[in-house]
Amino acid sequence: MALLEVNNLKVYFHTRNGVVKAVDDISFSVNSGETLAIVGESGSGKSVSCYSLLDLLPKPPAVIEGGIANFDGEDLLSCSTDRMRQLRGNHIAIIFQDPMTSLNPFLTIGEQLIEPLIYHPEKSQRLNRKAARIEAINLLDEVGIVNPDSRFDSYPHEFSGGMRQRVMIAMALINKPRLLICDEPTTALDVTIQAQILKLIKQLQQTRDVAVIFISHDLGVVAGIADKVLVMCDGKTQEQNTTHKVFYNSTSDYTKKLLSAIPSGAKTKASGAQQGLDLVRVSHVKTYFKDFSNSENSPVKAVDDLSFSIKKGEIFGLVGESGSGKSTLGRSILQLAPLTAGSVHYSDTEISTLNPNQLMRWRPKLQMIFQDPYASLNPRMTVYETLAEPLLYHAIADKKTVAKQVQQLMDDVGLDRSSVLKYPHEFSGGQRQRIAIGRAIATQPEFIVADEPVSALDVTIQAQILALILSLVEQRNLTMLFISHDLSVVRSICDRVAVMQQGKLVELNETEKLWDKPEMPYTQELLKAIPPANPA
C-alpha cells in the first residue's frame, strides 16, 4: 500500500474573472523511500496540487472540488484543522522554493529550528530547550552546515543561498516526517550547490526512509533523483510513468517539448565579436565592502584585482558560485557599485573617473538586465510608462513619437501591443523578463550586463528568452556581459567565459576550449556538477 495515494484531485480558484481549474482531476501515489517528481511549466498546477494536501491554499478563492488524498489510510482533504496541524511537520513536511522569504529574518536559525521541538502539538513529544538545541545542532551537521554550534546563533542573512536551503531542509526534517515535499528547492542555486542539495535530499531519503515529492519545472534536474515522473500542464496530467520511460519512451507531445527545451550545452551562436576591438577594458578592479560583523574591520573583498577585456559584438560569459562576486563585478563595470581601486574603460573613455553628471551621458549606452524583473520593475507603472520613461528621460523620443517607439519595443521583445497598459503583476515571469529586456534596449545601448536573466524561468520560457537575447544581440550589434550559474546556458550562447571564485578570476578562455580542457580544479568542479540531462 502506498504511503500517499491521491485520486481525482480537483482544485479550482473562484475569481472575479471566472473559475480557474488549477488542478483538474489528477491522480498519483508515492511509496516510502520513493521519489515522485511532478514536472511542468509555471501555472501547470504542480505546487497547488501539493499545497492543497496540507491545507496551505487561501480559502477563498481556492476550493477543493473533489478527490481523495489518503496518507497512511487517512484522508488529508477531510481531516479537521487540529489533525492537520499534527500531520504538518510531524508526518509531512515541505521545503519551499525561496528560503529567504520562508525564514524569519528576526529570529536566529537555531531559534527557528527548535521551535517545533519545544512547542510540539503532542505534549509527550516536546523537548526542553537544552535537548532541542542538541537535536538541532546534530541536524545542522547532518545537512552539511560547517561549525553548526556557532552557526546555530546566526541569522538567515548571514548564510549564502545554498546554506539557507540546507537550513530549510533541516527545518523540514526536525520532526522526522515520513513524507517530504520539495517545491523547486534548487531553482536559483549554483550548479555545485544544486548538486550538493540534490545529493543531500537523496541521501537523507535513504537513511530516513522518507517518501519525497519533488516539484520542478526542469526535467533535467529530476533525471538523476526521481523514481517516477508526473508531467502536468494546465492542471491536467499529461504523462505519468517511470523516469526512464518518460525520458526515453515519452507518449506526450508536451513532455517531448519539455525534454527538447533542456539546455544541451551545444553551441548555438557563431561569434559576432570583432577581432581586436575592445569595447570594455577592466584593469585591476577591486570592490571592497565593510564587514560590520568583523571585529578586526577587515573588508569583504567582493571583487579582488580583476583584469580582462570584452570585445565589440561579443557575448562574454561570467560564471561562479553564489558569493563569488559576479553580480558585484557587473555593477562595478556599470558604475552602480563604487570601485575601491582599478579602472574601467568604455571604448576610449575611462568611465570609472567620471562624476555622476558626466556619467549620465553614457548611461543610454550602458544598460543592465536584472535577475528578478518583478523586483526591478516599478509595480505602480504600466508597461507603457516603464518603456516610455527612459525614452523621454534621455530625449530619444518626445511626446509625439514615444507611443510609436514603445509599440516597436513591444514588437521587438515579442509582447502583444494590446498588453501595453497592463501592470507587471498581470504578466508571467517570462513576460516580465521581456519587459525588463525591452526597457534595457529602449535607449539603444551598445553594452548590456545581463545578470542571471533566465535563472528562475521554466526551461521552455528560458529557451525563448535566450533566443530573444541572441536575436537582439545580432540585430542591434550589442555587446554583452552574461552572468549566470547555469553552465549549459552559458556554453550555448557565449563566445568566451571567465570563471570567478571568491572575488578572483580563476580562468578565462574561449567557451569550447574551457569546456574541453579546463585547467583549474575549481573550473573542473563546476563542470562536473552540471546535472545529467537524462537518467543514469
Side-chain angles (χ1 to χ4, degrees):
M1 183 178 174
L3 177 66
L4 173 69
E5 189 164 352
V6 177
N7 292 309
N8 308 114
L9 177 64
K10 295 181 181 179
V11 184
Y12 296 173
F13 285 82
H14 295 258
T15 70
R16 282 174 290 182
N17 298 320
V19 177
V20 177
K21 298 181 179 180
V23 178
D24 194 15
D25 196 18
I26 70 165
S27 301
F28 60 86
S29 64
V30 60
N31 301 316
S32 294
E34 185 179 53
T35 299
L36 166 70
I38 302 181
V39 181
E41 295 172 291
S42 294
S44 62
K46 308 184 300 294
S47 297
V48 171
S49 61
C50 290
Y51 286 17
S52 65
L53 304 180
L54 298 180
D55 196 24
L56 294 176
L57 296 176
K59 297 178 182 179
V63 176
I64 297 176
E65 301 283 353
I68 296 173
N70 281 322
F71 176 76
D72 202 16
E74 184 175 4
D75 186 12
L76 298 174
L77 304 183
S78 61
C79 67
S80 66
T81 302
D82 288 341
R83 179 57 181 156
M84 179 55 72
R85 283 192 64 210
Q86 292 176 346
L87 289 170
R88 277 198 304 250
N90 299 329
H91 301 281
I92 307 173
I94 188 165
I95 303 169
F96 294 99
Q97 180 173 354
D98 184 2
M100 196 58 185
T101 55
S102 303
L103 295 170
N104 190 328
F106 296 104
L107 295 178
T108 63
I109 292 298
E111 196 62 35
Q112 295 180 65
L113 271 172
I114 65 175
E115 184 180 32
L117 297 176
I118 296 175
Y119 304 105
H120 199 286
E122 298 174 19
K123 288 187 178 181
S124 61
Q125 297 187 37
R126 292 180 185 174
L127 300 179
N128 60 41
R129 184 168 286 273
K130 183 177 180 181
R133 180 185 175 94
I134 293 171
E135 181 99 11
I137 289 174
N138 288 338
L139 190 51
L140 284 174
D141 185 52
E142 188 177 355
V143 298
I145 299 293
V146 181
N147 301 322
D149 289 48
S150 60
R151 300 315 299 268
F152 182 90
D153 296 314
S154 298
Y155 287 87
H157 71 271
E158 297 178 271
F159 288 77
S160 68
M163 301 309 272
R164 283 196 292 266
Q165 196 60 281
R166 287 171 183 268
V167 171
M168 282 294 298
I169 293 172
M171 289 181 69
L173 295 174
I174 196 76
N175 274 336
K176 301 180 175 64
R178 298 166 64 196
L179 173 63
L180 182 63
I181 298 172
C182 306
D183 187 10
E184 302 268 17
T186 63
T187 295
L189 300 180
D190 310 321
V191 284
T192 49
I193 306 301
Q194 175 180 268
Q196 292 170 19
I197 296 298
L198 292 174
K199 183 179 178 182
L200 173 62
I201 291 172
K202 194 69 179 174
Q203 180 184 344
L204 291 170
Q205 178 192 31
Q206 292 169 351
T207 57
R208 293 169 174 253
D209 196 32
V210 179
V212 172
I213 297 177
F214 196 99
I215 301 169
S216 180
H217 64 251
D218 191 344
L219 273 166
V221 169
V222 305
I225 65 165
D227 299 300
K228 54 189 183 183
V229 177
L230 165 64
V231 182
M232 290 185 67
C233 177
D234 295 332
K236 293 182 179 293
T237 299
Q238 295 295 310
E239 188 165 7
Q240 186 171 188
N241 217 321
T242 64
T243 306
H244 192 274
K245 286 184 178 178
V246 167
F247 273 80
Y248 296 115
N249 301 104
S250 174
T251 57
S252 164
D253 290 337
Y254 179 74
T255 306
K256 291 173 183 176
K257 184 180 83 167
L258 290 182
L259 289 168
S260 65
I262 299 173
S264 63
K267 190 73 173 171
T268 60
K269 174 185 180 293
S271 175
Q274 298 177 20
Q275 296 298 322
L277 296 176
D278 290 338
L279 184 67
V280 177
R281 296 195 311 279
V282 176
S283 302
H284 303 289
V285 163
K286 297 180 181 179
T287 305
Y288 295 172
F289 298 103
K290 290 181 179 179
D291 184 1
F292 295 102
S293 64
N294 191 333
S295 58
E296 299 176 1
N297 292 322
S298 56
V300 175
K301 298 181 179 181
V303 179
D304 195 14
D305 198 15
L306 264 66
S307 298
F308 60 90
S309 61
I310 302 174
K311 298 182 183 301
K312 188 174 177 60
E314 180 179 36
I315 299 183
F316 187 92
L318 187 62
V319 301
E321 295 173 298
S322 293
S324 61
K326 307 186 300 296
S327 296
T328 301
L329 175 60
R331 287 175 167 82
S332 298
I333 291 173
L334 295 186
Q335 305 304 292
L336 298 177
L339 299 187
T340 305
S343 64
V344 177
H345 283 79
Y346 178 77
S347 193
D348 294 325
T349 303
E350 186 178 349
I351 59 173
S352 50
T353 60
L354 302 179
N355 62 42
N357 288 332
Q358 293 171 326
L359 194 59
M360 190 56 65
R361 62 180 285 263
W362 292 94
R363 285 294 179 210
K365 297 183 179 182
L366 308 168
Q367 289 293 309
M368 187 161 191
I369 302 170
F370 294 94
Q371 179 174 358
D372 182 359
Y374 200 67
S376 61
L377 296 173
N378 190 329
R380 294 182 176 87
M381 293 173 68
T382 63
V383 175
Y384 181 88
E385 292 167 331
T386 297
L387 298 181
E389 185 183 46
L391 293 171
L392 295 171
Y393 183 83
H394 292 290
I396 296 169
D398 55 32
K399 291 184 178 179
K400 293 181 180 179
T401 61
V402 67
K404 185 177 180 180
Q405 292 197 39
V406 166
Q407 289 177 341
Q408 183 59 52
L409 283 171
M410 295 288 282
D411 292 342
D412 288 346
V413 297
L415 288 172
D416 194 330
R417 289 186 178 187
S418 63
S419 302
V420 78
L421 296 180
K422 290 183 178 180
Y423 290 87
H425 72 272
E426 298 180 84
F427 293 88
S428 68
Q431 289 172 324
R432 282 197 292 265
Q433 196 59 282
R434 288 175 183 269
I435 297 167
I437 292 171
R439 183 177 170 91
I441 65 171
T443 60
Q444 300 171 6
E446 297 173 349
F447 177 66
I448 291 179
V449 174
D451 187 8
E452 301 271 16
V454 297
S455 65
L457 301 179
D458 304 328
V459 284
T460 48
I461 306 301
Q462 180 185 91
Q464 294 170 18
I465 296 298
L466 290 173
L468 171 63
I469 288 173
L470 279 174
S471 66
L472 290 173
V473 165
E474 291 166 5
Q475 290 169 17
R476 295 171 176 253
N477 195 27
L478 295 172
T479 304
M480 183 173 288
L481 173 63
F482 190 93
I483 301 169
S484 180
H485 64 252
D486 191 330
L487 298 178
S488 297
V489 168
V490 168
R491 186 183 186 187
S492 68
I493 71 167
C494 294
D495 301 299
R496 288 188 300 153
V497 178
V499 181
M500 280 188 73
Q501 182 186 28
Q502 296 178 356
K504 293 186 177 295
L505 192 63
V506 175
E507 191 164 352
L508 169 60
N509 211 331
E510 293 175 16
T511 305
E512 288 308 306
K513 288 182 180 178
L514 189 78
W515 253 254
D516 292 340
K517 291 184 179 178
E519 295 177 1
M520 304 304 292
Y522 179 71
T523 309
Q524 294 166 8
E525 253 181 71
L526 285 179
L527 295 176
K528 283 180 185 175
I530 300 174
N534 47 55

